[in-house]
Amino acid sequence: MSTPDIRVEKGHAEPEEVAAITAILLARAAARPSAPALAHRGRPRAGWRRLEREGGFRAPHSWR
């Protein structure tokens, strides 16, 4: 292995510190689900509205 897999950009990391970071990254990679879950469905419609499709005047006290 001629090139390292992890490189320290700034400062000096001891071999133990690099090993700890590597272990954390490998544990996180192993904990990921194999297929992405569809947890976020989003909004059923757009969060904005087109002004030309609005009904006209709105009362100043209305929240909608």
Side-chain angles (χ1 to χ4, degrees):
M1 180 158 69
S2 60
T3 59
D5 292 331
I6 296 176
R7 182 177 68 186
V8 177
E9 291 288 326
K10 209 172 199 184
H12 176 72
E14 298 296 324
E16 295 84 13
E17 294 170 330
V18 175
I21 293 294
T22 304
I24 290 170
L25 292 175
L26 288 174
R28 287 195 61 170
R32 287 188 185 163
S34 60
L38 299 174
H40 181 69
R41 293 185 179 161
R43 293 183 176 183
R45 61 182 182 146
W48 47 269
R49 32 182 217 279
R50 296 179 64 175
L51 295 177
E52 66 268 13
R53 293 185 181 176
E54 289 295 314
F57 177 76
R58 288 189 185 180
H61 65 276
S62 69
W63 284 86
R64 185 163 190 235

